[in-house]
Amino acid sequence: MHISEGLLDPKICIAGYAAATVLLGITLKKTSLDSVPKVSIMGAAFFTASLIHFKIGITSIHLTLIGLTSLILGVSAIPAISAGLFFQAALFGHGGLSTLGINILIFGLPSLIVYGLFVFIRSFFKHKYLPFFAGILSFIASLLSTLIASFVIYLSGESFASLAWIFSGANLFLAFIEGIIAYIAIKRILFSKPQLILNT
Amino acid sequence: MELFIANKSIIHSWDSRIKILTFFLFILGIASLKSFVGLFFVLLISVFSLFLSKTNLNNLLKILKAPLFFLAFTFIILGLSSGGKIIYNIGPINIYYNGLILSAVISLRAISIIFIFATLFGSTRFSEIFNALNSFHIPSIFVCILLFTWRYIFLYLESISKLFSAAKLKGYSKIKGLIHIKTTTNLLTTLLINSFEQSERVKASMVCRGFNGTISFKENHKLKPIDFFISVLYLFSITTIIIFELWK
């Protein structure tokens, strides 16, 4: 779901950086000093986990895990995701430097929305239903980030409309897999280490 | 995995603060180019920068893999769907001239940008990058997050490798379908739970050592005239190319 180098107009890149700076600024203010080790270490863990390949049929995919990251790190997921995106661009060429701001928005905005919904749901439902909602929210996070990315690609010009559509279609399947993985992961976390998602 | 290789080159000795700012503006300049002439010159400058910085070509090829895959995908989609003048058709499938030109422009831009940031990361240690970000008054809490994330990435790459090696000994490679997804997710969750427990221990040890959210970096070296000169060369070249393109 990363947008690679060369695709976007520099005006969109600069606007992306400006908006990402605002988003990061707000979320860094809500990130306490105490949580810096947790955010960084779990950010590194998520970065590593996103490199894992899941075999689906004849191909294999690797996931973004933005839904799962936001459920565990809360608002501090934005700095962790930003750091992860920076290193993905620098070490693997996934995404890019000029598109880093836009990519932060593509991953960060859905993770914030989904976290807000999760906090709301957590206060109404028993813990045994949380994995189910985590799966749905993870699917929604992935879907939203695909829609934002497709919209940004479309902004580059009408010729990119078909690219945006195909991009959306391909990532719809990924969103579904992200939902399943979030369900399994949250179920296991609730069993082994519930404070990981109940104290965010 | 890291692009950086210690070397003695003019790009290595270029002050990292000016280097980051200059390359960032240069990359934005490349992103605005639309003509093949301009992009050709920019590609030449990018290749020359790579050559000057003596970047490891094996690592460069590794970071080119993902973007080249995306560019090939873009070529196919835009070539088959952009509309306009048809240059070839095979039955119902039309190949459009506009799509191919647009894809070529995007590819040249992307490859030039990647060569420039390979020059940046190939000639600058991450510690120097964090130091530079600190001097740009990026909030120190974010620089700390970057620094700690960087340190723990390699630790977790090793952890995940050990987890998967152990799983393979137990027959992981042979499982498919939903069981594969469930097993892989459980391995991933083990990594997350272990990292959470480790973060609690690291937080306690940092508090014991008086961590207050700031990291002391070594003092920045004074800027030399050559630092500004190289910056002016890069910015002058991209500005000239942009003006030439606008004027044409």
Side-chain angles (χ1 to χ4, degrees), chain A residues 161-191:
Chain A
S162 50
L163 187 66
W165 274 114
I166 289 169
F167 186 79
S168 304
N171 282 293
L172 191 64
F173 175 68
L174 278 180
F176 183 64
I177 301 292
E178 294 249 9
I180 295 176
I181 283 159
Y183 169 79
I184 298 168
I186 296 295
K187 200 168 175 189
R188 164 97 193 272
I189 288 169
L190 272 176
F191 179 75

Side-chain angles (χ1 to χ4, degrees), chain B residues 186-205:
Chain B
N186 282 329
L187 288 171
L188 184 161
T189 316
T190 304
L191 175 72
L192 295 178
I193 292 171
N194 290 346
S195 70
F196 173 71
E197 288 168 353
Q198 181 162 27
S199 73
E200 300 270 276
R201 292 192 295 272
V202 167
K203 175 183 148 186
S205 73

Side-chain angles (χ1 to χ4, degrees), chain A residues 24-80:
Chain A
L24 253 178
I26 294 169
T27 51
L28 281 173
K29 269 202 155 74
K30 293 186 185 294
T31 303
S32 68
L33 222 54
D34 279 349
S35 60
V36 164
K38 179 183 167 190
V39 171
S40 318
I41 289 168
M42 296 211 68
F46 274 109
F47 169 89
T48 315
S50 69
L51 298 174
I52 296 171
H53 283 82
F54 286 79
K55 270 188 275 178
I56 310 286
I58 55 166
T59 185
S60 67
I61 54 171
H62 70 92
L63 304 166
T64 59
L65 305 173
I66 44 171
L68 202 53
T69 311
S70 65
L71 298 181
I72 291 174
L73 290 176
V75 165
S76 305
I78 308 294

Side-chain angles (χ1 to χ4, degrees), chain B residues 77-93:
Chain B
I77 301 301
L78 289 180
L80 296 177
S81 63
S82 66
K85 182 178 156 190
I86 298 170
I87 56 165
Y88 196 73
N89 75 330
I90 312 159
I93 300 168

Side-chain angles (χ1 to χ4, degrees), chain B residues 46-188:
Chain B
S46 310
V47 168
F48 183 63
S49 306
L50 266 180
F51 172 73
L52 269 183
S53 67
K54 301 173 194 172
T55 300
N56 184 317
L57 290 177
N58 286 332
N59 287 344
L60 175 65
L61 287 171
K62 280 182 194 162
I63 68 158
L64 275 175
K65 253 201 286 185
L68 284 178
F69 175 79
F70 176 76
L71 289 171
F73 178 76
T74 307
F75 246 108
I76 295 168
I77 301 301
L78 289 180
L80 296 177
S81 63
S82 66
K85 182 178 156 190
I86 298 170
I87 56 165
Y88 196 73
N89 75 330
I90 312 159
I93 300 168
N94 295 323
I95 298 171
Y96 296 98
Y97 174 76
N98 289 346
L100 292 179
I101 295 295
L102 196 51
S103 308
V105 165
I106 291 168
S107 302
L108 281 172
R109 265 194 228 147
I111 290 168
S112 304
I113 292 173
I114 289 166
F115 282 177
I116 289 295
F117 86 59
T119 307
L120 171 63
F121 290 110
S123 60
T124 323
R125 290 176 202 278
F126 271 105
S127 55
E128 288 172 347
I129 292 175
F130 302 144
N131 193 359
L133 291 177
N134 200 47
S135 64
F136 294 153
H137 302 291
I138 303 281
S140 61
I141 191 170
F142 186 60
V143 179
C144 287
I145 289 172
L146 280 173
L147 184 62
F148 289 123
T149 307
W150 169 243
R151 283 201 176 160
Y152 283 92
I153 279 172
F154 297 99
L155 190 72
Y156 289 126
L157 283 172
E158 205 182 310
S159 289
I160 204 83
S161 164
K162 284 181 188 167
L163 275 173
F164 275 89
S165 297
K168 278 173 188 164
L169 287 170
K170 296 179 179 100
Y172 170 77
S173 314
K174 293 191 167 65
I175 55 172
K176 288 174 185 154
L178 201 56
I179 299 175
H180 168 80
I181 293 177
K182 194 173 176 188
T183 310
T184 311
T185 307
N186 282 329
L187 288 171
L188 184 161

